């Protein structure tokens, strides 16, 4: 029982990171119909730029309190990621609106690998230790179940950010413009929405969330490197599809569900397969879920049915 | 062949037969020129031919049938691991007792004419297994799911050394048999009248034969009811249905035929390289083959060939130019060869899509036989 | 008179919208059967469920004595029903000739092995496919554009090409969705001749058309759809006088809702 509870807790932590990243995928998909393959790399840039900032600050001002260091890291990571996202939209994706359907996706894959390569050049190939500015020493709220302060902060911060985003989209003029654009670019433009600006903003917003997710991810595992964004990116995309792509609530739900399935699944996969598969197969869950959802319920958990017109 | 010949400047337009002769001549003498610069370059050419086969196979799926497959390298892996399993000591190491029992104490060593078809068939089967569930997926979703498929295959390669040692995990499998053509071991260099003929040459001409065979086959496919059905399905699925094309079968056919090329190329790779490990079948490799197709021009045989050649050779050339250059300029290596390769591929992908989405050699694909068309016109 | 196609109480819903409501009709061999009705009446939807693009929610089609499967377009074509689209759908990058050749797909048999070896049968089949495609281009009157890439054809010629492509499937029933849309008077006149020729050559035609003159002049019988319901079915002259039809087209009051 304790192990199950523990796994659920672990799943919740990872799931909130997936959810944050999934929001970026889902917003962009909702508005452009594009799988922004490079979104996972934004998370990586966030983590590594925060790392550089924190390391530099620790060098000049070692007496700074950890939370301040972390804040400074975020303060650099967020704008950096926003700039990266802005540039990729502006320089690459914008020119491909209305291009043949495979072109934007192939470009996105290219952007993803380009960002990884650039990160490899800037930060090298090695794994970097990410300073544990929030304690990772677990506490025991319930006998036999462990959670660390950093994990608690991940859950809390993710929840706050998601709440903020949903409020923004549902309650503000900007959010209304975003929803209108997602509905139909031409109509939105007729209503006086600056569609290009809204699309750029969508990318930038998603990037900000990914930056925070990257810093949290690196804090939790204590490492960062140039390829760290790839898997979480794919999984977050899976989460977005699972929840129903284009749907904010769906992305959050999908993230949490995926995190839970992974954590609980990894714990029990050996029992289920009579020892044939073990937890090194954990990554398979996401892919199998992705395939299964797309095949059996392409609209996801919360999405509505959209049919192609003949 | 014809598409390639058309690329030859001037002759391609005015003297197609001469152009074709030029292409054949270049293909034949290329390694003889390459060896002047060192063995490495012949090796690069050998690999270029392997990548051509891959690019031709992927082009069938992406270019002809319009299905963006990001897990294509999995089929290459299936072919290579089939070779490793059926033509190396590994089997005896994995199942010593069983192997001794069937009199294969030093592993199974089947001949190439058995292993290659088995590898191709298994790859085709993998293609169908992948194909079935993804039949109804739209372009971008299909891409992600095939990517997931490739990753799943890689995860299995990495972990299937337990509880049964099938793949030997991350270390991979060693000591694969080389290509042995009915007693002629391609991996052995031959001394002839004081001349040493490097084994790399033998592989080159053997691979060349395979590539030429592939090109002929694919060309015939393109100008056939199948090629037209793929093109129709790619251009407008609904209209293709309305003329009675069985979309499901045609997609499965594309996946399995494309996979077959991957499987054969994988077997050749295993024999040539002598060892296989999961590292050779990473996502980056799938992407590399895709870049070759995109760079050359989707849906275009010549594009796949030229794309594979350029994008295999260019990183090597860069390696030989850029490294000494960096040493001279900065006194150290800033961008190592692997970084250069990735940079090249990612930029090629982005810039091609932005500036020349139809590729270096835009396809003007034919789906009808010129002589029949001419005859039809003459009658009209 | 021999029945060729029978629609039995076909219904199709999109969410809350009833696109077709228990539509029944019978098309006889050798006739040109018109299907008319205001915009959004469900005409194209009827084509879509007939040809297997959509699955009907209720009802079935019987074609030449056998029930048609639902949701299997290739079987429907195989049985002998071909269609064109309201908004032309050609294979853009193929030449006109190749478009028609593609249309012959279902009537050819070449195997992968035959294609690989280019054996006699495969070559012969390919030659016949090419020849037949030329004949069809000539039949619809655009043989001079055989080598033209289809997206470069004029609008009217694209419509003709689409008909040729449909004919290449060797249908017994040809379903045309507004073939005259966007055509000028001369082009429409030539289209009318073409459809008459198709009928004379033994293919039954199901025609959706807004051009009243064309429909009235061409069709043997006409069915009228309105809001997914069949409100009339008769010879042209009778349909023209039918008060329900007049109401649907002219009354218009209830269309504003
Ligand atoms: N795929 C679909 N999803 C939802 N609604 C649809 C779909 N296809 C058609 N409809 C609706 O069904 C109704 C009938 O449409 P249909 O296209 O059959 O009309 P039509 O008679 O062909 O009209 P027109 O003369 O304009 O071509 C319309 O209200 C249309 O909006
Ligand atoms: Mg219509």
């Amino acid at each position: 029982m304790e192990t199950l509870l523990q796994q659920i807790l672990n799943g919740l932590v990872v799931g909130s990171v997936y959810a944050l990243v999934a929001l970026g995928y889902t917003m962009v998909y909702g508005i452009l119909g594009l799988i922004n393959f490079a979104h996972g790399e934004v998370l990586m840039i966030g983590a590594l730029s925060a790392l550089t900032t924190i390391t530099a600050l620790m060098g000049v001002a070692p007496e700074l309190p950890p939370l301040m260091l972390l804040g400074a890291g975020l303060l650099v990571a967020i704008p950096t990621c926003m700039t990266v996202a802005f540039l990729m939209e502006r320089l690459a994706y914008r020119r491909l609106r209305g291009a043949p359907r495979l072109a934007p996706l192939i470009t996105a894959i290219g952007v993803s690998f380009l960002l990884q390569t650039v990160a490899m050049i800037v930060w090298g190939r090695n794994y970097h230790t990410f300073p544990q500015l929030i304690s990772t020493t677990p506490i025991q709220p319930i006998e036999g179940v462990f959670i660390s302060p950093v994990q608690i902060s991940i859950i809390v911060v993710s929840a706050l950010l998601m709440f903020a985003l949903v409020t923004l989209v549902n309650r503000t003029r900007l959010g209304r413009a975003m929803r209108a654009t997602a509905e139909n670019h031409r109509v939105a433009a007729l209503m006086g929405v600056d569609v290009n600006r809204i699309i750029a903003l969508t990318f930038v917003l998603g990037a900000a969330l990914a930056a925070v997710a990257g810093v949290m991810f690196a804090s939790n595992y204590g490492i960062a490197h140039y390829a760290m964004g790839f898997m979480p990116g794919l999984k977050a995309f899976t989460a977005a599809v699972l929840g129903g792509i284009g749907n904010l609530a769906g992305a959050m739900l999908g993230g949490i569900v995926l995190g839970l399935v992974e954590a609980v699944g990894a714990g029990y996969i050996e029992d289920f397969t009579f020892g044939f598969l073990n937890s090194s197969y954990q990554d398979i869950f996401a892919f199998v879920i992705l395939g299964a959802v797309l095949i059996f319920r392409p609209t996801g958990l919360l999405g509505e049915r959209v049919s192609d017109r003949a | 062949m014809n598409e390639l010949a058309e690329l030859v400047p001037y002759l391609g337009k005015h003297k197609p037969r001469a152009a074709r002769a030029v292409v054949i001549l270049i293909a034949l003498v290329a390694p003889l020129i390459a060896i002047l610069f060192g063995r490495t370059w012949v090796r690069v050419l050998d690999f270029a031919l392997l990548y051509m086969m891959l690019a031709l196979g992927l082009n069938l799926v992406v270019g002809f049938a319009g299905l963006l497959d990001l897990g294509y390298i999995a089929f290459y892996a299936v072919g290579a691991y089939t070779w490793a399993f059926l033509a190396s000591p590994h089997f005896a190491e994995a199942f010593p007792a069983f192997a001794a029992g069937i009199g294969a104490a030093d592993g199974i060593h089947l001949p190439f004419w058995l292993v290659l078809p088995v590898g191709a068939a298994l790859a085709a089967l993998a293609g169908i297994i992948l194909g079935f569930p993804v039949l109804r997926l739209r372009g971008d979703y299909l891409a992600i799911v095939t990517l997931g498929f490739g990753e799943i295959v890689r995860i299995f390669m990495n972990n299937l050394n337990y509880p049964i040692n099938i793949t030997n995990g991350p270390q991979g499998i060693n000591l694969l048999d080389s290509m042995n053509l009915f007693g002629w071991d391609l991996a052995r260099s031959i001394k002839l009248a004081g001349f040493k003929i490097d084994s790399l040459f033998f592989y080159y001409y053997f691979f060349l034969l395979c590539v030429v065979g592939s090109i002929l086959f694919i060309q015939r496919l393109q100008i056939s009811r199948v090629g037209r059905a793929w093109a129709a399905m790619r251009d407008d699925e609904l209209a293709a249905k309305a003329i009675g094309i069985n979309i499901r079968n045609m997609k499965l056919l594309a996946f399995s035929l494309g996979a077959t090329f991957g499987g054969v190329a994988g077997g050749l790779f295993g024999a040539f390289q002598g060892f296989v490990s999961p590292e050779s079948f990473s996502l980056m490799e799938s992407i590399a083959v895709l870049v070759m197709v995109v760079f050359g021009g989707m849906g275009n045989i010549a594009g796949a060939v030229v794309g594979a050649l350029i994008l295999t050779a260019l990183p090597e050339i860069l390696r030989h130019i850029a490294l000494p250059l960096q040493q001279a300029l900065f006194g150290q290596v800033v961008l190592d060869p692997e970084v250069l390769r990735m940079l090249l591929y990612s930029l090629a992908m982005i810039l091609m899509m932005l500036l020349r989405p139809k590729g270096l050699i835009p396809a003007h694909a034919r789906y009808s036989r010129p002589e029949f068309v001419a005859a039809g016109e003459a009658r009209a | 008179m021999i029945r060729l196609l029978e629609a039995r109480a076909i219904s199709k819903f999109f969410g809350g919208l009833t696109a077709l409501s228990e539509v029944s009709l019978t098309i006889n061999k050798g006739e040109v059967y018109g299907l008319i009705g205001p915009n959004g009446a469900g005409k194209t939807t009827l084509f879509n469920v007939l040809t297997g693009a959509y699955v009907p929610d209720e009802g079935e089609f019987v074609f030449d004595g056998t029930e048609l499967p639902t949701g299997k377009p290739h079987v429907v074509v195989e049985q002998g029903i071909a269609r064109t689209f309201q908004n032309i759908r050609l294979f853009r990058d193929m030449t006109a000739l190749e478009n028609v050749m593609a249309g012959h797909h279902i009537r050819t048999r070449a195997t992968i092995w035959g294609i690989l070896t280019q054996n006699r049968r495969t070559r012969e089949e390919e030659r016949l496919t090419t020849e037949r495609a030329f004949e069809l281009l000539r039949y619809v009157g655009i043989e001079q554009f055989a080598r033209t890439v289809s997206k470069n054809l004029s609008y009217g010629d694209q419509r003709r090409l689409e008909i040729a492509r449909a004919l290449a499937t060797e249908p017994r029933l040809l379903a045309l969705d507004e073939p005259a849309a966007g055509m000028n008077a001369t082009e429409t006149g030539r289209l009318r001749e073409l459809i008459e020729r198709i009928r004379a050559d033994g293919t039954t035609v199901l025609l959706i058309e807004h051009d009243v003159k064309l429909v009235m002049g061409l069709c043997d019988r006409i069915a009228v759809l309105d809001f997914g319901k069949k409100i009339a079915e008769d010879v042209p002259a009778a349909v023209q006088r039918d008060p329900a039809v007049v109401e649907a087209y002219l009354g218009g009051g209830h269309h504003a809702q």
Side-chain angles (χ1 to χ4, degrees), chain A residues 22-280:
Chain A
L23 284 172
Y25 275 108
T26 235
M27 285 195 294
V28 167
Y29 195 94
I31 225 159
L32 276 187
L34 166 74
I35 299 177
N36 180 14
F37 211 84
H39 190 58
E41 265 54 63
V42 175
L43 171 150
M44 173 271 297
I45 303 258
L48 283 169
S49 53
L51 174 71
T52 305
T53 316
I54 293 169
T55 322
L57 270 181
M58 290 204 317
V60 293
E63 69 284 356
L64 277 180
L67 273 184
M68 210 133 140
L69 285 171
L70 196 63
L74 281 171
L75 228 50
V76 172
I78 294 173
T80 308
C81 288
M82 289 168 117
T83 315
V84 168
F86 179 79
L87 288 178
M88 70 174 135
E89 194 276 326
R90 195 61 238 259
L91 299 179
Y93 301 147
R94 185 174 296 186
R95 292 157 192 240
L96 290 168
R97 278 185 224 154
R101 64 202 170 90
L102 293 184
L105 183 66
I106 292 176
T107 310
I109 297 168
V111 171
S112 163
F113 277 86
L114 182 66
L115 289 178
Q116 275 194 38
T117 314
V118 169
M120 207 198 264
I121 295 170
V122 175
W123 285 286
R125 261 165 209 272
N126 299 331
Y127 283 67
H128 301 277
T129 346
F130 198 92
Q132 316 244 291
L133 297 168
I134 303 178
S135 164
T136 50
T137 326
I139 50 174
Q140 263 194 84
I142 309 171
E143 182 65 28
V145 176
F146 297 88
I147 187 165
S148 64
V150 70
Q151 291 178 316
I152 297 174
S153 1
I154 288 177
I155 295 177
V156 171
V157 171
S158 304
L160 285 177
L161 283 177
M162 287 189 250
F163 178 75
L165 184 80
V166 170
T167 313
L168 177 92
V169 171
N170 287 338
R171 293 282 153 78
T172 64
R173 264 180 67 103
L174 175 64
R176 214 173 319 134
M178 283 172 71
R179 280 179 289 141
T181 310
E183 200 67 38
N184 187 326
H185 292 198
R186 281 232 312 283
V187 174
L190 285 178
M191 283 163 26
V193 174
D194 181 348
V195 171
N196 278 334
R197 214 191 66 164
I198 293 299
I199 291 175
L201 261 168
T202 308
F203 270 86
V204 164
L205 260 178
L209 296 181
V212 181
V215 173
M216 299 197 306
F217 203 71
S219 304
N220 190 30
Y221 292 104
I223 47 169
H225 68 125
Y226 77 94
M228 68 180 279
F230 186 71
M231 268 295 158
L234 267 182
K235 289 179 179 171
F237 175 71
T238 304
V241 171
L242 175 60
I245 194 138
N247 181 321
L248 291 188
M252 297 184 269
L253 177 70
I256 304 288
V257 170
L258 181 63
L260 289 176
V261 170
E262 266 194 2
V264 177
Y268 292 97
I269 184 169
E270 246 184 303
D271 300 345
F272 282 146
T273 60
F274 308 104
F276 188 74
L277 302 180
N278 53 36
S279 57
S280 29

Side-chain angles (χ1 to χ4, degrees), chain B residues 11 27 40 86 121 136 163 166 172 175 178 204 233 244 263 269 289 345 366:
Chain B
L11 285 184
T40 347
L86 296 181
R136 278 168 31 210
I166 296 174
L175 298 174
S178 50
Y204 178 86
M233 178 176 94
F269 169 75
V289 181
Y345 285 179
R366 266 197 209 110

Side-chain angles (χ1 to χ4, degrees), chain A residues 307-310, chain C residues 14 17 19 37-46 54 86 177-178 210:
Chain A
S307 66
D308 289 329
R309 288 208 158 202
Chain C
F14 294 110
L17 183 112
N39 288 112
K43 307 180 293 294
T44 300
T45 304
L46 187 72
Y54 294 159
Q86 186 169 355
D177 197 345
E178 300 198 23
H210 277 303

